[in-house]
Amino acid sequence: SESFYLYSDGITDQVGGLKNFPYGNKKFKQLLSSIQNKSMTEQEEIITDTLLSYQGENSRRDDVTVIGFRL
């Protein structure tokens, strides 16, 4: 099966980490690649936990939407 993901820029534009840089497309694509074989429920938890951890004390800058599905 193949996994597909649609997402808003809210997740990639979120500032955080040690240098308060945006999370970025490259880092998000690497995350998706590393979790694509897990259940969609597990993926949701990992993405949410990763975003909250990266965001740290920074406020949410934008809405965050991620849709994943398998064929």
Side-chain angles (χ1 to χ4, degrees):
S1 71
E2 290 187 67
S3 299
F4 296 88
Y5 303 92
L6 304 168
Y7 57 93
S8 67
D9 64 351
I11 195 162
T12 57
D13 289 349
Q14 180 59 52
V15 172
L18 296 175
K19 297 182 179 180
N20 282 326
F21 284 160
Y23 192 71
N25 281 304
K26 182 178 178 182
K27 191 178 292 190
F28 187 57
K29 288 176 184 178
Q30 289 172 340
L31 173 64
L32 293 176
S33 179
S34 73
I35 65 173
Q36 67 181 338
N37 294 322
K38 297 186 181 300
S39 74
M40 288 297 175
T41 302
E42 288 176 293
Q43 290 184 43
E44 177 186 13
E45 292 171 5
I46 293 168
I47 291 168
T48 300
D49 291 348
T50 300
L51 177 63
L52 291 174
S53 175
Y54 188 80
Q55 179 179 325
E57 297 296 318
N58 294 298
S59 61
R60 180 75 43 86
R61 299 182 72 164
D62 198 356
D63 63 295
V64 173
T65 304
V66 179
I67 299 170
F69 60 94
R70 288 196 175 114
L71 293 178

Short mmCIF file of all heavy atoms in Angstrom, two decimals:
data_model
loop_
_atom_site.label_atom_id
_atom_site.label_comp_id
_atom_site.label_asym_id
_atom_site.label_seq_id
_atom_site.Cartn_x
_atom_site.Cartn_y
_atom_site.Cartn_z
N SER A 1 0.83 -1.19 0.00
CA SER A 1 0.00 0.00 0.00
C SER A 1 0.87 1.25 0.00
O SER A 1 2.00 1.22 0.44
CB SER A 1 -0.94 0.00 1.19
OG SER A 1 -0.26 0.22 2.39
N GLU A 2 0.33 2.32 -0.51
CA GLU A 2 1.02 3.60 -0.55
C GLU A 2 0.32 4.57 0.38
O GLU A 2 -0.89 4.55 0.52
CB GLU A 2 1.03 4.17 -1.96
CG GLU A 2 1.90 3.41 -2.92
CD GLU A 2 2.01 4.12 -4.25
OE1 GLU A 2 2.60 5.22 -4.28
OE2 GLU A 2 1.47 3.59 -5.23
N SER A 3 1.12 5.44 1.02
CA SER A 3 0.59 6.47 1.90
C SER A 3 0.66 7.82 1.21
O SER A 3 1.64 8.11 0.52
CB SER A 3 1.39 6.53 3.20
OG SER A 3 1.32 5.32 3.89
N PHE A 4 -0.38 8.62 1.41
CA PHE A 4 -0.44 9.96 0.83
C PHE A 4 -0.76 10.95 1.94
O PHE A 4 -1.52 10.63 2.86
CB PHE A 4 -1.55 10.03 -0.24
CG PHE A 4 -1.29 9.14 -1.42
CD1 PHE A 4 -1.72 7.83 -1.40
CD2 PHE A 4 -0.61 9.62 -2.52
CE1 PHE A 4 -1.48 6.98 -2.49
CE2 PHE A 4 -0.36 8.79 -3.61
CZ PHE A 4 -0.80 7.47 -3.59
N TYR A 5 -0.19 12.14 1.85
CA TYR A 5 -0.38 13.15 2.87
C TYR A 5 -0.67 14.50 2.23
O TYR A 5 -0.01 14.89 1.26
CB TYR A 5 0.87 13.28 3.74
CG TYR A 5 1.27 11.98 4.40
CD1 TYR A 5 2.17 11.13 3.78
CD2 TYR A 5 0.74 11.60 5.63
CE1 TYR A 5 2.53 9.93 4.38
CE2 TYR A 5 1.09 10.41 6.23
CZ TYR A 5 2.00 9.58 5.59
OH TYR A 5 2.33 8.38 6.19
N LEU A 6 -1.63 15.20 2.78
CA LEU A 6 -1.93 16.58 2.42
C LEU A 6 -1.78 17.39 3.70
O LEU A 6 -2.25 16.96 4.76
CB LEU A 6 -3.36 16.71 1.89
CG LEU A 6 -3.73 15.83 0.71
CD1 LEU A 6 -5.24 15.85 0.50
CD2 LEU A 6 -3.03 16.30 -0.53
N TYR A 7 -1.13 18.54 3.62
CA TYR A 7 -0.95 19.33 4.84
C TYR A 7 -0.88 20.81 4.54
O TYR A 7 -0.46 21.22 3.46
CB TYR A 7 0.28 18.88 5.62
CG TYR A 7 1.59 18.93 4.84
CD1 TYR A 7 2.41 20.04 4.90
CD2 TYR A 7 2.00 17.85 4.08
CE1 TYR A 7 3.61 20.09 4.20
CE2 TYR A 7 3.20 17.88 3.39
CZ TYR A 7 4.00 19.00 3.45
OH TYR A 7 5.18 19.04 2.76
N SER A 8 -1.32 21.58 5.51
CA SER A 8 -1.25 23.04 5.38
C SER A 8 0.14 23.51 5.77
O SER A 8 0.93 22.78 6.39
CB SER A 8 -2.30 23.70 6.27
OG SER A 8 -2.00 23.49 7.63
N ASP A 9 0.44 24.75 5.46
CA ASP A 9 1.76 25.29 5.79
C ASP A 9 1.91 25.62 7.27
O ASP A 9 2.98 25.98 7.72
CB ASP A 9 2.08 26.51 4.94
CG ASP A 9 1.15 27.68 5.19
OD1 ASP A 9 0.14 27.50 5.90
OD2 ASP A 9 1.41 28.77 4.66
N GLY A 10 0.84 25.46 8.03
CA GLY A 10 0.92 25.76 9.47
C GLY A 10 1.96 24.93 10.19
O GLY A 10 2.64 25.42 11.09
N ILE A 11 2.09 23.67 9.80
CA ILE A 11 3.05 22.80 10.48
C ILE A 11 4.49 23.12 10.06
O ILE A 11 5.39 23.14 10.87
CB ILE A 11 2.72 21.31 10.27
CG1 ILE A 11 3.49 20.45 11.27
CG2 ILE A 11 2.97 20.86 8.85
CD1 ILE A 11 2.95 19.06 11.45
N THR A 12 4.70 23.41 8.79
CA THR A 12 6.06 23.68 8.32
C THR A 12 6.53 25.08 8.69
O THR A 12 7.73 25.32 8.77
CB THR A 12 6.17 23.47 6.80
OG1 THR A 12 5.21 24.29 6.14
CG2 THR A 12 5.91 22.01 6.44
N ASP A 13 5.60 26.00 8.91
CA ASP A 13 5.96 27.37 9.28
C ASP A 13 6.09 27.57 10.79
O ASP A 13 6.50 28.64 11.24
CB ASP A 13 4.91 28.36 8.77
CG ASP A 13 4.94 28.53 7.27
OD1 ASP A 13 5.91 28.06 6.62
OD2 ASP A 13 4.00 29.11 6.72
N GLN A 14 5.75 26.55 11.59
CA GLN A 14 5.80 26.68 13.04
C GLN A 14 7.23 26.90 13.52
O GLN A 14 8.12 26.13 13.23
CB GLN A 14 5.21 25.45 13.74
CG GLN A 14 5.25 25.54 15.25
CD GLN A 14 4.49 26.75 15.79
OE1 GLN A 14 3.34 26.96 15.46
NE2 GLN A 14 5.13 27.52 16.63
N VAL A 15 7.43 27.97 14.26
CA VAL A 15 8.74 28.32 14.79
C VAL A 15 8.99 27.55 16.09
O VAL A 15 8.09 27.36 16.90
CB VAL A 15 8.83 29.84 15.04
CG1 VAL A 15 10.10 30.20 15.77
CG2 VAL A 15 8.74 30.59 13.73
N GLY A 16 10.23 27.11 16.25
CA GLY A 16 10.58 26.40 17.48
C GLY A 16 11.99 25.86 17.39
O GLY A 16 12.82 26.35 16.63
N GLY A 17 12.23 24.81 18.16
CA GLY A 17 13.56 24.22 18.21
C GLY A 17 14.54 25.11 18.93
O GLY A 17 14.18 26.15 19.50
N LEU A 18 15.79 24.71 18.90
CA LEU A 18 16.83 25.45 19.62
C LEU A 18 17.08 26.84 19.07
O LEU A 18 17.45 27.75 19.79
CB LEU A 18 18.15 24.66 19.58
CG LEU A 18 18.12 23.30 20.29
CD1 LEU A 18 19.44 22.56 20.08
CD2 LEU A 18 17.84 23.48 21.78
N LYS A 19 16.86 27.03 17.75
CA LYS A 19 17.17 28.31 17.12
C LYS A 19 15.92 29.11 16.74
O LYS A 19 16.03 30.13 16.07
CB LYS A 19 18.01 28.07 15.87
CG LYS A 19 19.36 27.44 16.18
CD LYS A 19 20.17 27.26 14.93
CE LYS A 19 21.52 26.64 15.26
NZ LYS A 19 22.34 26.46 14.06
N ASN A 20 14.74 28.63 17.15
CA ASN A 20 13.48 29.30 16.80
C ASN A 20 13.33 29.49 15.29
O ASN A 20 12.90 30.54 14.83
CB ASN A 20 13.32 30.63 17.53
CG ASN A 20 12.89 30.43 18.96
OD1 ASN A 20 12.14 29.51 19.26
ND2 ASN A 20 13.36 31.28 19.84
N PHE A 21 13.68 28.45 14.54
CA PHE A 21 13.49 28.44 13.10
C PHE A 21 12.18 27.72 12.77
O PHE A 21 11.70 26.91 13.57
CB PHE A 21 14.62 27.69 12.40
CG PHE A 21 15.92 28.45 12.30
CD1 PHE A 21 17.09 27.76 12.07
CD2 PHE A 21 15.98 29.82 12.43
CE1 PHE A 21 18.30 28.43 11.97
CE2 PHE A 21 17.18 30.50 12.34
CZ PHE A 21 18.34 29.80 12.10
N PRO A 22 11.61 27.97 11.59
CA PRO A 22 10.44 27.20 11.16
C PRO A 22 10.77 25.71 11.06
O PRO A 22 11.91 25.34 10.75
CB PRO A 22 10.10 27.77 9.78
CG PRO A 22 10.72 29.13 9.77
CD PRO A 22 11.95 29.01 10.62
N TYR A 23 9.77 24.85 11.30
CA TYR A 23 9.97 23.40 11.23
C TYR A 23 10.43 22.99 9.84
O TYR A 23 11.35 22.19 9.71
CB TYR A 23 8.68 22.68 11.63
CG TYR A 23 8.88 21.21 11.86
CD1 TYR A 23 9.57 20.76 12.97
CD2 TYR A 23 8.39 20.27 10.97
CE1 TYR A 23 9.78 19.41 13.19
CE2 TYR A 23 8.58 18.93 11.19
CZ TYR A 23 9.28 18.50 12.29
OH TYR A 23 9.48 17.16 12.51
N GLY A 24 9.81 23.49 8.81
CA GLY A 24 10.29 23.29 7.44
C GLY A 24 9.74 22.06 6.74
O GLY A 24 9.41 21.06 7.37
N ASN A 25 9.67 22.15 5.42
CA ASN A 25 9.20 21.05 4.59
C ASN A 25 10.11 19.84 4.64
O ASN A 25 9.64 18.71 4.72
CB ASN A 25 9.06 21.51 3.13
CG ASN A 25 7.80 22.29 2.89
OD1 ASN A 25 6.72 21.83 3.16
ND2 ASN A 25 7.97 23.50 2.38
N LYS A 26 11.40 20.07 4.57
CA LYS A 26 12.35 18.95 4.56
C LYS A 26 12.22 18.10 5.82
O LYS A 26 12.13 16.88 5.75
CB LYS A 26 13.78 19.48 4.41
CG LYS A 26 14.82 18.39 4.34
CD LYS A 26 16.21 18.97 4.14
CE LYS A 26 17.25 17.87 4.12
NZ LYS A 26 18.60 18.42 3.98
N LYS A 27 12.19 18.76 6.96
CA LYS A 27 12.09 18.05 8.24
C LYS A 27 10.75 17.32 8.34
O LYS A 27 10.69 16.18 8.82
CB LYS A 27 12.26 19.03 9.41
CG LYS A 27 12.43 18.36 10.75
CD LYS A 27 12.64 19.38 11.84
CE LYS A 27 13.98 20.05 11.66
NZ LYS A 27 14.39 20.87 12.77
N PHE A 28 9.66 17.95 7.87
CA PHE A 28 8.36 17.32 7.95
C PHE A 28 8.29 16.10 7.03
O PHE A 28 7.77 15.05 7.39
CB PHE A 28 7.24 18.30 7.65
CG PHE A 28 5.87 17.73 7.89
CD1 PHE A 28 5.52 17.23 9.14
CD2 PHE A 28 4.94 17.69 6.88
CE1 PHE A 28 4.27 16.68 9.38
CE2 PHE A 28 3.67 17.15 7.10
CZ PHE A 28 3.34 16.65 8.35
N LYS A 29 8.84 16.22 5.83
CA LYS A 29 8.86 15.08 4.90
C LYS A 29 9.69 13.93 5.47
O LYS A 29 9.33 12.76 5.30
CB LYS A 29 9.38 15.52 3.53
CG LYS A 29 8.38 16.37 2.78
CD LYS A 29 8.95 16.86 1.47
CE LYS A 29 7.98 17.80 0.77
NZ LYS A 29 8.53 18.33 -0.48
N GLN A 30 10.79 14.25 6.15
CA GLN A 30 11.59 13.20 6.79
C GLN A 30 10.79 12.51 7.89
O GLN A 30 10.86 11.29 8.04
CB GLN A 30 12.88 13.79 7.37
CG GLN A 30 13.89 14.20 6.32
CD GLN A 30 15.06 14.96 6.89
OE1 GLN A 30 15.00 15.52 7.99
NE2 GLN A 30 16.16 15.00 6.13
N LEU A 31 10.04 13.29 8.67
CA LEU A 31 9.19 12.71 9.71
C LEU A 31 8.16 11.77 9.08
O LEU A 31 8.00 10.63 9.53
CB LEU A 31 8.49 13.81 10.52
CG LEU A 31 7.45 13.33 11.54
CD1 LEU A 31 8.13 12.51 12.63
CD2 LEU A 31 6.71 14.50 12.13
N LEU A 32 7.47 12.24 8.04
CA LEU A 32 6.46 11.40 7.39
C LEU A 32 7.07 10.12 6.84
O LEU A 32 6.50 9.04 6.99
CB LEU A 32 5.76 12.17 6.27
CG LEU A 32 4.88 13.34 6.69
CD1 LEU A 32 4.33 14.05 5.46
CD2 LEU A 32 3.75 12.89 7.60
N SER A 33 8.22 10.23 6.26
CA SER A 33 8.90 9.05 5.72
C SER A 33 9.24 8.05 6.82
O SER A 33 9.11 6.84 6.62
CB SER A 33 10.18 9.49 4.98
OG SER A 33 10.86 8.38 4.47
N SER A 34 9.63 8.55 7.97
CA SER A 34 10.03 7.66 9.06
C SER A 34 8.86 6.98 9.75
O SER A 34 9.05 5.97 10.42
CB SER A 34 10.87 8.43 10.08
OG SER A 34 10.06 9.31 10.85
N ILE A 35 7.65 7.50 9.58
CA ILE A 35 6.49 6.93 10.29
C ILE A 35 5.44 6.33 9.35
O ILE A 35 4.43 5.82 9.81
CB ILE A 35 5.81 7.99 11.20
CG1 ILE A 35 5.22 9.13 10.38
CG2 ILE A 35 6.79 8.49 12.24
CD1 ILE A 35 4.40 10.13 11.19
N GLN A 36 5.69 6.34 8.06
CA GLN A 36 4.66 5.94 7.09
C GLN A 36 4.17 4.51 7.23
O GLN A 36 3.06 4.19 6.81
CB GLN A 36 5.16 6.17 5.67
CG GLN A 36 6.30 5.27 5.25
CD GLN A 36 6.77 5.58 3.85
OE1 GLN A 36 6.04 6.15 3.06
NE2 GLN A 36 8.00 5.20 3.55
N ASN A 37 4.94 3.63 7.84
CA ASN A 37 4.51 2.24 8.00
C ASN A 37 3.74 1.98 9.29
O ASN A 37 3.27 0.88 9.53
CB ASN A 37 5.72 1.30 7.91
CG ASN A 37 6.33 1.32 6.52
OD1 ASN A 37 5.62 1.39 5.52
ND2 ASN A 37 7.65 1.29 6.44
N LYS A 38 3.61 2.99 10.12
CA LYS A 38 2.84 2.87 11.36
C LYS A 38 1.36 3.08 11.06
O LYS A 38 1.01 3.59 10.00
CB LYS A 38 3.33 3.88 12.39
CG LYS A 38 4.78 3.68 12.81
CD LYS A 38 5.16 4.61 13.92
CE LYS A 38 6.61 4.46 14.33
NZ LYS A 38 6.96 3.13 14.82
N SER A 39 0.51 2.69 11.99
CA SER A 39 -0.93 2.91 11.80
C SER A 39 -1.20 4.41 11.73
O SER A 39 -0.43 5.22 12.25
CB SER A 39 -1.73 2.29 12.95
OG SER A 39 -1.59 3.07 14.13
N MET A 40 -2.30 4.78 11.11
CA MET A 40 -2.65 6.20 11.00
C MET A 40 -2.86 6.81 12.38
O MET A 40 -2.51 7.97 12.60
CB MET A 40 -3.88 6.39 10.12
CG MET A 40 -3.62 6.16 8.66
SD MET A 40 -2.43 7.37 8.03
CE MET A 40 -2.20 6.78 6.37
N THR A 41 -3.38 6.05 13.32
CA THR A 41 -3.56 6.55 14.69
C THR A 41 -2.21 6.86 15.33
O THR A 41 -2.04 7.91 15.94
CB THR A 41 -4.33 5.52 15.55
OG1 THR A 41 -5.60 5.28 14.93
CG2 THR A 41 -4.56 6.04 16.95
N GLU A 42 -1.25 5.95 15.16
CA GLU A 42 0.09 6.19 15.70
C GLU A 42 0.74 7.40 15.03
O GLU A 42 1.40 8.20 15.68
CB GLU A 42 0.98 4.97 15.49
CG GLU A 42 0.66 3.79 16.37
CD GLU A 42 1.53 2.60 16.04
OE1 GLU A 42 1.38 2.05 14.92
OE2 GLU A 42 2.37 2.24 16.89
N GLN A 43 0.55 7.52 13.72
CA GLN A 43 1.12 8.66 12.99
C GLN A 43 0.56 9.97 13.52
O GLN A 43 1.31 10.93 13.69
CB GLN A 43 0.83 8.53 11.49
CG GLN A 43 1.60 7.41 10.83
CD GLN A 43 1.38 7.37 9.35
OE1 GLN A 43 1.36 8.40 8.67
NE2 GLN A 43 1.18 6.17 8.82
N GLU A 44 -0.74 10.00 13.77
CA GLU A 44 -1.36 11.21 14.31
C GLU A 44 -0.71 11.60 15.64
O GLU A 44 -0.37 12.77 15.86
CB GLU A 44 -2.85 11.00 14.51
CG GLU A 44 -3.55 12.20 15.13
CD GLU A 44 -5.01 11.94 15.46
OE1 GLU A 44 -5.45 10.78 15.44
OE2 GLU A 44 -5.70 12.93 15.76
N GLU A 45 -0.53 10.62 16.50
CA GLU A 45 0.08 10.89 17.82
C GLU A 45 1.52 11.38 17.67
O GLU A 45 1.93 12.35 18.33
CB GLU A 45 0.05 9.63 18.68
CG GLU A 45 -1.34 9.22 19.09
CD GLU A 45 -1.39 7.85 19.77
OE1 GLU A 45 -0.32 7.25 20.01
OE2 GLU A 45 -2.50 7.39 20.05
N ILE A 46 2.28 10.75 16.78
CA ILE A 46 3.68 11.15 16.59
C ILE A 46 3.78 12.56 16.01
O ILE A 46 4.59 13.37 16.47
CB ILE A 46 4.41 10.13 15.69
CG1 ILE A 46 4.52 8.79 16.43
CG2 ILE A 46 5.77 10.65 15.27
CD1 ILE A 46 4.95 7.62 15.55
N ILE A 47 2.96 12.86 15.01
CA ILE A 47 2.98 14.20 14.40
C ILE A 47 2.60 15.25 15.44
O ILE A 47 3.27 16.29 15.55
CB ILE A 47 2.06 14.26 13.16
CG1 ILE A 47 2.64 13.40 12.04
CG2 ILE A 47 1.86 15.70 12.70
CD1 ILE A 47 1.70 13.15 10.88
N THR A 48 1.55 15.00 16.20
CA THR A 48 1.10 15.95 17.22
C THR A 48 2.18 16.15 18.28
O THR A 48 2.51 17.28 18.62
CB THR A 48 -0.21 15.46 17.88
OG1 THR A 48 -1.21 15.34 16.87
CG2 THR A 48 -0.68 16.43 18.94
N ASP A 49 2.73 15.06 18.79
CA ASP A 49 3.78 15.15 19.82
C ASP A 49 5.02 15.86 19.30
O ASP A 49 5.62 16.68 20.00
CB ASP A 49 4.16 13.76 20.33
CG ASP A 49 3.05 13.11 21.14
OD1 ASP A 49 2.08 13.80 21.51
OD2 ASP A 49 3.16 11.89 21.39
N THR A 50 5.39 15.57 18.05
CA THR A 50 6.57 16.20 17.45
C THR A 50 6.36 17.70 17.31
O THR A 50 7.25 18.49 17.64
CB THR A 50 6.87 15.57 16.08
OG1 THR A 50 7.11 14.17 16.26
CG2 THR A 50 8.08 16.21 15.42
N LEU A 51 5.18 18.10 16.82
CA LEU A 51 4.90 19.53 16.66
C LEU A 51 4.90 20.25 18.00
O LEU A 51 5.53 21.31 18.14
CB LEU A 51 3.56 19.74 15.95
CG LEU A 51 3.13 21.21 15.80
CD1 LEU A 51 4.11 21.97 14.92
CD2 LEU A 51 1.73 21.30 15.24
N LEU A 52 4.24 19.69 18.99
CA LEU A 52 4.19 20.33 20.30
C LEU A 52 5.57 20.43 20.93
O LEU A 52 5.92 21.45 21.54
CB LEU A 52 3.23 19.58 21.22
CG LEU A 52 1.75 19.68 20.85
CD1 LEU A 52 0.91 18.78 21.75
CD2 LEU A 52 1.26 21.12 20.92
N SER A 53 6.36 19.39 20.78
CA SER A 53 7.72 19.40 21.32
C SER A 53 8.57 20.45 20.61
O SER A 53 9.31 21.20 21.26
CB SER A 53 8.34 18.01 21.15
OG SER A 53 9.68 18.00 21.56
N TYR A 54 8.48 20.51 19.29
CA TYR A 54 9.26 21.48 18.52
C TYR A 54 8.82 22.91 18.85
O TYR A 54 9.66 23.80 19.00
CB TYR A 54 9.10 21.22 17.02
CG TYR A 54 10.03 22.07 16.19
CD1 TYR A 54 11.36 21.72 16.03
CD2 TYR A 54 9.58 23.24 15.58
CE1 TYR A 54 12.22 22.50 15.29
CE2 TYR A 54 10.44 24.03 14.83
CZ TYR A 54 11.76 23.65 14.70
OH TYR A 54 12.62 24.44 13.97
N GLN A 55 7.53 23.11 18.95
CA GLN A 55 6.96 24.43 19.23
C GLN A 55 7.44 24.98 20.57
O GLN A 55 7.69 26.17 20.70
CB GLN A 55 5.44 24.32 19.21
CG GLN A 55 4.69 25.58 19.49
CD GLN A 55 3.18 25.35 19.42
OE1 GLN A 55 2.69 24.56 18.63
NE2 GLN A 55 2.47 26.05 20.26
N GLY A 56 7.54 24.11 21.55
CA GLY A 56 7.99 24.53 22.88
C GLY A 56 7.11 25.62 23.45
O GLY A 56 5.89 25.50 23.46
N GLU A 57 7.72 26.69 23.90
CA GLU A 57 7.00 27.80 24.51
C GLU A 57 6.46 28.80 23.49
O GLU A 57 5.79 29.76 23.85
CB GLU A 57 7.92 28.54 25.50
CG GLU A 57 8.39 27.69 26.67
CD GLU A 57 7.22 27.27 27.56
OE1 GLU A 57 6.34 28.10 27.83
OE2 GLU A 57 7.20 26.09 27.96
N ASN A 58 6.78 28.60 22.21
CA ASN A 58 6.31 29.50 21.17
C ASN A 58 4.81 29.31 20.95
O ASN A 58 4.29 28.21 21.10
CB ASN A 58 7.04 29.24 19.85
CG ASN A 58 8.50 29.59 19.94
OD1 ASN A 58 8.85 30.73 20.16
ND2 ASN A 58 9.36 28.59 19.79
N SER A 59 4.13 30.39 20.58
CA SER A 59 2.70 30.29 20.30
C SER A 59 2.49 29.66 18.93
O SER A 59 3.38 29.70 18.07
CB SER A 59 2.04 31.66 20.37
OG SER A 59 2.61 32.51 19.40
N ARG A 60 1.32 29.09 18.74
CA ARG A 60 0.96 28.52 17.43
C ARG A 60 0.78 29.68 16.48
O ARG A 60 0.09 30.64 16.76
CB ARG A 60 -0.34 27.73 17.59
CG ARG A 60 -0.86 27.06 16.35
CD ARG A 60 -0.14 25.81 15.90
NE ARG A 60 0.21 24.87 16.94
CZ ARG A 60 -0.56 23.92 17.42
NH1 ARG A 60 -1.78 23.79 16.97
NH2 ARG A 60 -0.13 23.11 18.34
N ARG A 61 1.42 29.62 15.32
CA ARG A 61 1.40 30.72 14.37
C ARG A 61 0.24 30.64 13.38
O ARG A 61 -0.16 31.64 12.81
CB ARG A 61 2.71 30.74 13.59
CG ARG A 61 3.90 30.95 14.51
CD ARG A 61 5.15 31.02 13.72
NE ARG A 61 5.15 32.29 13.00
CZ ARG A 61 6.20 32.83 12.45
NH1 ARG A 61 7.34 32.22 12.52
NH2 ARG A 61 6.12 33.97 11.82
N ASP A 62 -0.26 29.44 13.14
CA ASP A 62 -1.25 29.27 12.08
C ASP A 62 -2.02 27.98 12.36
O ASP A 62 -1.64 27.20 13.23
CB ASP A 62 -0.51 29.14 10.74
CG ASP A 62 -1.38 29.39 9.52
OD1 ASP A 62 -2.60 29.58 9.67
OD2 ASP A 62 -0.83 29.38 8.40
N ASP A 63 -3.10 27.78 11.61
CA ASP A 63 -3.81 26.52 11.75
C ASP A 63 -2.93 25.38 11.23
O ASP A 63 -2.07 25.59 10.38
CB ASP A 63 -5.13 26.55 10.97
CG ASP A 63 -4.92 26.71 9.48
OD1 ASP A 63 -4.40 27.76 9.06
OD2 ASP A 63 -5.25 25.76 8.75
N VAL A 64 -3.13 24.19 11.77
CA VAL A 64 -2.36 23.02 11.35
C VAL A 64 -3.34 21.96 10.89
O VAL A 64 -4.20 21.53 11.65
CB VAL A 64 -1.48 22.48 12.50
CG1 VAL A 64 -0.82 21.18 12.11
CG2 VAL A 64 -0.44 23.52 12.91
N THR A 65 -3.20 21.55 9.64
CA THR A 65 -4.03 20.50 9.09
C THR A 65 -3.15 19.47 8.41
O THR A 65 -2.29 19.82 7.60
CB THR A 65 -5.02 21.06 8.05
OG1 THR A 65 -5.80 22.08 8.65
CG2 THR A 65 -5.92 19.97 7.49
N VAL A 66 -3.33 18.20 8.78
CA VAL A 66 -2.62 17.10 8.13
C VAL A 66 -3.64 16.01 7.86
O VAL A 66 -4.36 15.59 8.77
CB VAL A 66 -1.48 16.53 9.02
CG1 VAL A 66 -0.79 15.37 8.31
CG2 VAL A 66 -0.48 17.61 9.39
N ILE A 67 -3.71 15.57 6.61
CA ILE A 67 -4.60 14.48 6.23
C ILE A 67 -3.74 13.40 5.61
O ILE A 67 -2.95 13.65 4.68
CB ILE A 67 -5.65 14.96 5.20
CG1 ILE A 67 -6.51 16.06 5.81
CG2 ILE A 67 -6.50 13.78 4.74
CD1 ILE A 67 -7.41 16.75 4.80
N GLY A 68 -3.85 12.19 6.14
CA GLY A 68 -3.11 11.06 5.59
C GLY A 68 -4.06 9.93 5.27
O GLY A 68 -5.05 9.71 5.95
N PHE A 69 -3.75 9.21 4.18
CA PHE A 69 -4.56 8.05 3.82
C PHE A 69 -3.70 7.05 3.04
O PHE A 69 -2.63 7.40 2.55
CB PHE A 69 -5.80 8.46 3.02
CG PHE A 69 -5.51 9.16 1.72
CD1 PHE A 69 -5.43 8.45 0.53
CD2 PHE A 69 -5.32 10.54 1.69
CE1 PHE A 69 -5.16 9.11 -0.66
CE2 PHE A 69 -5.06 11.21 0.50
CZ PHE A 69 -4.98 10.48 -0.69
N ARG A 70 -4.19 5.83 2.99
CA ARG A 70 -3.49 4.76 2.28
C ARG A 70 -4.36 4.18 1.20
O ARG A 70 -5.57 4.06 1.34
CB ARG A 70 -3.14 3.64 3.25
CG ARG A 70 -2.05 3.97 4.20
CD ARG A 70 -1.50 2.71 4.84
NE ARG A 70 -0.36 3.08 5.65
CZ ARG A 70 -0.31 2.99 6.96
NH1 ARG A 70 -1.33 2.53 7.63
NH2 ARG A 70 0.76 3.35 7.61
N LEU A 71 -3.70 3.76 0.11
CA LEU A 71 -4.39 3.05 -0.97
C LEU A 71 -3.76 1.68 -1.12
O LEU A 71 -2.62 1.47 -0.93
CB LEU A 71 -4.28 3.79 -2.29
CG LEU A 71 -5.01 5.13 -2.37
CD1 LEU A 71 -4.75 5.76 -3.72
CD2 LEU A 71 -6.49 4.95 -2.15
#
